[in-house]
Amino acid sequence: MTPRPLEPLIDESEEWSAVHWWRLELRSLDEAENTQFTLAQLGPKEAWSTEWGGRPTGASCLRTLSYVVSLTAPAVAAFAMGRAQAFGDHLPFALAGILVLISLIVTLQGEWSLYRRPRSIAASVVRKIAIVHIVPAVVVVVVGLMGEHQHPGQLLWLLPSVVDALVHVWQLFRRPGGQDGPRNPLDNLTLSVAEIAPEVAERIVQRRNVAIRMLHERGRIDADTAERAIATGLGHLALVMAPEACSNFYPPSAWERQPQ
C-alpha cells in the first residue's frame, strides 16, 4: 500500500504525547503490514484503532473470515450430528466431515504459516482454540460411532474430526519454532522487523527520522529527545520513547522478567 504522510500527524496537536509516539511508528510502518500488526498488539487502543484497526484490506477480511469458519465449523458439525441423533434422523456424516475438513484445512494453513514464520502464541489462546476444536470433534466421533450408519464407508467422514482433534492436542504441547523459537510478543516483533526487505526498512527509517526532526524543528520535542528517538531501531521507537502507553497484552513489567 502507499504509505500515508507523517507530517499531518505532527501538526495534529500542539503537545506530543506518548500515544503520538505509537501513532507515528505505526503509520511509518504502512509498507510493512506484518510488523505493523505485531506492534499494534503492544500499543494503546487510541493508537492502533486509528493507525491500524481502521484500515481493513481484502486479504485481512478473507483471513478473518477463514478464522471464523475454522472456529465455528466444528461446532456446527457437532450440533448437526447431535441433533440428528436426538431426533432419530439419519446422521449427516458427509456434512459433518466436510465442515470439519474445511476447518482442518485452515488449521493446517496456519501451521504452515507458523513453520515459515515462527511466532509466539499466548498459552491461554492456544488452550481456548484447542477446546473449541477438540470438544466438537469428540462429540462428532462418539455420536458417529454409536449411531446408526448405512454402510461402513460413512465412518470415513469421521476421519477429519479425529485428525483435527489430534492436531490440536499436539498444539497444546508444542512451541512454535521449537526450542529456539520466539517466546513472547517482543520476540515476535524482532522477528517481524528482521523479515522486512532491507530497502523497505531503510525507506521506513528515513521517513520516520525526517518526521522526528520535524518534531524538533516545530518545538514538539527537545534536541535530546529527538536524538534518542532517531537512535532507536526500526519497530522499537514507541517501545523506547513511550513504554508507559503499552497495552496490557504485554506490559513493560513483563519485559523485566525476561531472562537476559
Side-chain angles (χ1 to χ4, degrees):
M1 62 174 293
T2 302
R4 292 165 293 172
L6 302 179
E7 187 172 355
L9 179 58
I10 296 172
D11 294 329
E12 186 177 290
S13 174
E14 289 296 326
E15 295 186 4
W16 192 254
S17 66
V19 171
H20 281 106
W21 282 117
W22 286 89
R23 290 185 60 190
L24 174 64
E25 183 159 44
L26 285 171
R27 187 177 298 192
S28 73
L29 289 169
D30 277 351
E31 294 182 86
E33 292 187 1
N34 287 333
T35 304
Q36 189 182 55
F37 169 73
T38 304
L39 181 66
Q41 297 176 74
L42 297 171
K45 180 180 179 181
E46 297 90 338
W48 59 255
S49 63
T50 303
E51 304 300 336
W52 177 78
R55 300 181 301 106
T57 64
S60 65
C61 290
L62 182 60
R63 186 164 54 245
T64 299
L65 178 61
S66 68
Y67 290 154
V68 171
V69 170
S70 175
L71 292 173
T72 58
V76 174
F79 175 79
M81 292 287 283
R83 184 181 184 282
Q85 177 73 3
F87 286 93
D89 298 331
H90 291 296
L91 296 179
F93 285 96
L95 174 63
I98 291 172
L99 287 172
V100 177
L101 182 60
I102 292 172
S103 176
L104 180 59
I105 290 172
V106 176
T107 296
L108 295 178
Q109 173 61 35
E111 283 300 314
W112 173 245
S113 296
L114 279 177
Y115 174 76
R116 293 172 55 243
R117 293 182 173 179
R119 293 292 186 268
S120 170
I121 304 174
S124 59
V125 174
V126 175
R127 285 194 297 269
K128 291 175 182 177
I129 293 176
I131 291 172
V132 168
H133 282 265
I134 294 172
V135 172
V138 171
V139 171
V140 169
V141 172
V142 170
V143 172
L145 293 176
M146 294 180 60
E148 296 183 1
H149 44 275
Q150 296 176 341
H151 55 82
Q154 287 182 317
L155 294 178
L156 291 176
W157 286 111
L158 301 180
L159 186 58
S161 292
V162 173
V163 175
D164 194 44
L166 291 176
V167 167
H168 284 88
V169 168
W170 170 71
Q171 286 181 343
L172 288 173
F173 298 97
R174 72 93 166 85
R175 175 143 55 87
Q179 294 302 314
D180 297 328
R183 295 175 179 271
N184 53 61
L186 288 182
D187 288 347
N188 288 347
L189 179 62
T190 300
L191 282 173
S192 181
V193 169
E195 291 166 356
I196 301 175
E199 64 276 10
V200 175
E202 181 179 0
R203 190 161 58 242
I204 291 172
V205 171
Q206 287 177 348
R207 291 181 64 244
R208 185 202 73 175
N209 289 349
V210 167
I212 293 171
R213 293 188 183 97
M214 285 183 182
L215 284 170
H216 175 229
E217 292 169 358
R218 299 180 187 183
R220 304 293 195 278
I221 59 176
D222 58 37
D224 289 341
T225 301
E227 183 177 350
R228 188 160 64 99
I230 289 174
T232 61
L234 175 59
H236 291 75
L237 175 68
L239 291 170
V240 172
M241 303 305 296
E244 70 276 11
C246 278
S247 68
N248 291 328
F249 178 69
Y250 197 67
S253 58
W255 311 355
E256 301 170 358
R257 297 195 298 268
Q258 287 186 210
Q260 301 298 318

